[in-house]
Amino acid sequence: MALVTSRELFKKAYSGGYAIGGFNVNNMEIVQAITRAADELRSPVILQASAGARKYCSPVYLKKLVEAAAEDVDIPVVMHLDHGADFEICKDCIDYGFTSVMIDGSRFSFEENIALTRKVVEYAHDKGVVVEAELGKLAGIEDDVNVSDEDSSYTNPDDVEEFVSRTNVDSLAIAIGTSHGAFKYKPGQKPQLRFDILKACEERLPDFPIVLHGSSSVNREYVDIIRQYGGTLDDAIGIPEDMLREAAKSAVCKINIDTDIRLAMTAGVRKDLAEHPEHFDPRTYLGSGRQFVTDLVKHKIRDVLGSAGQA
Ligand code: G3H
Ligand code: 13P
Ligand code: ZN
């Protein structure tokens, strides 16, 4: 199936009370694992590439991998730029065939964020591409940017209407307590999300798709396998899946997951190599990692996002 934008997918997700996974991709095994899991469960899927992913694969490999995946399966696949830092990278990706881009102006002032987002939206819409923006600032590590807890800030619901109407953006990522990476809460800290902020944003933006970044759950089973087979991973805590399940039923139409994929891939590779020290064919251990990611994505689609059967 050809690549699609998320416009119609989000309309269906909004009214159907489910969310679509924004899964980060970095190599062939991850692309295949995600799309094959989604295909098996008949779920639409968003494959997203960060600047780091583009650098690691090179843009041409990344694009061809995603195009190959879309051809390989019979479900709607969106090719999305994750955390576009400036107009140029968004323009590059739009010109290159991405069907969706994120312009992340969350580090700028409200007015600067609006001006930058509007510029990207004008360029993107002209080419039939949709745009995600961010208001509020998540804590955690993404690319080379590390936002400390003190510098993070929740989205102010009083800002969202003006932001969306002045930018004409297609979806909005908000900060309600999720954060990037594997260490979302300090030891002893109780995970919590500000559902009151989500509800207030939802009320001010009727029928409008909200996005949650930083939504990995750091599932215990993968952390335990990594530790069991010699990896170190201290006090990793993610967003509880029941909270994400609840969010998926609301105006949240896209939930971003990267760290959980990394953990699953690493657990699969470590387990394979530890249990089979004789393995040296990358197809065996990378194949195990790919199977772990496939199982993880199936679990997310079926038990967290609720998007199974919606393709
Ligand atoms: O939100 C950011 C993603 O986790 C991407 O991370 O820049 O290391 O690829 P990365
Ligand atoms: P995690 O680090 O929680 O997987 O978040 C990924 C993300 O938000 C990508 O944009
Ligand atoms: Zn993110």
Side-chain angles (χ1 to χ4, degrees):
M1 190 179 258
L3 290 167
V4 297
T5 79
S6 47
R7 188 165 281 129
E8 296 307 314
L9 304 185
F10 284 168
K11 274 189 202 154
K12 266 188 78 186
Y14 192 101
S15 55
Y18 61 91
I20 300 167
F23 296 107
N24 284 74
V25 295
N26 288 286
N27 65 16
M28 181 191 78
E29 284 74 14
I30 292 175
V31 169
Q32 288 177 334
I34 296 165
T35 45
R36 289 177 182 174
D39 195 38
E40 207 180 310
L41 295 180
R42 310 297 312 141
S43 166
V45 74
I46 299 170
L47 300 182
Q48 53 189 23
S50 64
R54 278 171 39 99
K55 200 163 138 199
Y56 176 75
C57 289
S58 93
V60 64
Y61 273 88
L62 202 57
K63 183 192 176 204
K64 300 282 179 192
L65 278 175
V66 173
E67 282 176 354
E71 219 178 289
D72 184 44
V73 294
D74 186 30
I75 48 166
V77 177
V78 176
M79 179 160 47
H80 175 74
L81 167 67
D82 193 25
H83 293 284
D86 51 40
F87 175 78
E88 282 66 35
I89 186 172
C90 291
K91 178 179 180 300
D92 239 42
C93 289
I94 293 164
D95 294 345
Y96 214 59
F98 280 53
T99 55
S100 172
V101 294
M102 174 190 192
I103 175 66
D104 183 354
S106 61
R107 66 195 181 284
F108 296 123
S109 71
F110 185 64
E111 285 301 326
E112 287 168 329
N113 193 354
I114 286 183
L116 176 60
T117 302
R118 196 167 49 198
K119 188 174 171 193
V120 173
V121 168
E122 276 164 13
Y123 189 82
H125 283 183
D126 211 38
K127 313 251 174 190
V129 171
V130 294
V131 181
E132 171 187 325
E134 180 168 330
L135 203 51
K137 204 187 281 179
L138 266 71
I141 301 170
E142 91 212 18
D143 269 327
D144 299 329
V145 183
N146 187 351
V147 181
S148 69
D149 287 352
E150 301 75 56
D151 289 336
S152 66
S153 54
Y154 292 118
T155 303
N156 180 352
D158 291 337
D159 289 340
V160 296
E161 243 182 305
E162 184 183 347
F163 187 88
V164 169
S165 68
R166 285 178 61 194
T167 57
N168 202 18
V169 76
D170 303 282
S171 61
L172 184 67
I174 61 170
I176 61 167
T178 61
S179 70
H180 292 108
F183 306 95
K184 301 186 192 298
Y185 300 98
K186 296 194 175 67
Q189 205 183 350
K190 201 168 166 270
Q192 57 167 347
L193 288 189
R194 292 288 303 271
F195 280 98
D196 56 325
I197 296 178
L198 172 57
K199 192 160 183 287
C201 292
E202 206 176 328
E203 281 166 6
R204 285 165 172 82
L205 295 172
D207 293 326
F208 188 82
I210 301 284
V211 178
L212 287 189
H213 280 247
S215 297
S216 280
S217 296
V218 191
N219 302 55
R220 206 68 234 162
E221 60 188 288
Y222 301 112
V223 175
D224 287 346
I225 290 172
I226 290 170
R227 283 180 168 159
Q228 181 187 348
Y229 293 108
T232 52
L233 203 59
D234 296 334
D235 303 320
I237 308 173
I239 314 292
E241 289 188 333
D242 55 346
M243 290 186 189
L244 295 168
R245 207 173 296 124
E246 192 182 332
K249 291 181 185 145
S250 72
V252 171
C253 294
K254 173 171 178 266
I255 292 186
N256 283 8
I257 297 170
D258 184 1
T259 298
D260 281 346
I261 294 171
R262 296 174 182 195
L263 292 171
M265 186 84 201
T266 301
V269 171
R270 273 195 179 275
K271 185 168 190 287
D272 185 279
L273 289 174
E275 288 180 353
H276 301 279
E278 75 283 9
H279 279 175
F280 61 84
D281 183 340
R283 292 173 295 189
T284 54
Y285 55 83
L286 291 180
S288 298
R290 179 173 62 185
Q291 188 56 50
F292 267 57
V293 176
T294 305
D295 294 343
L296 167 88
V297 172
K298 278 199 214 162
H299 161 65
K300 295 286 179 183
I301 287 173
R302 205 168 24 211
D303 307 324
V304 181
L305 304 163
S307 62
Q310 302 292 348

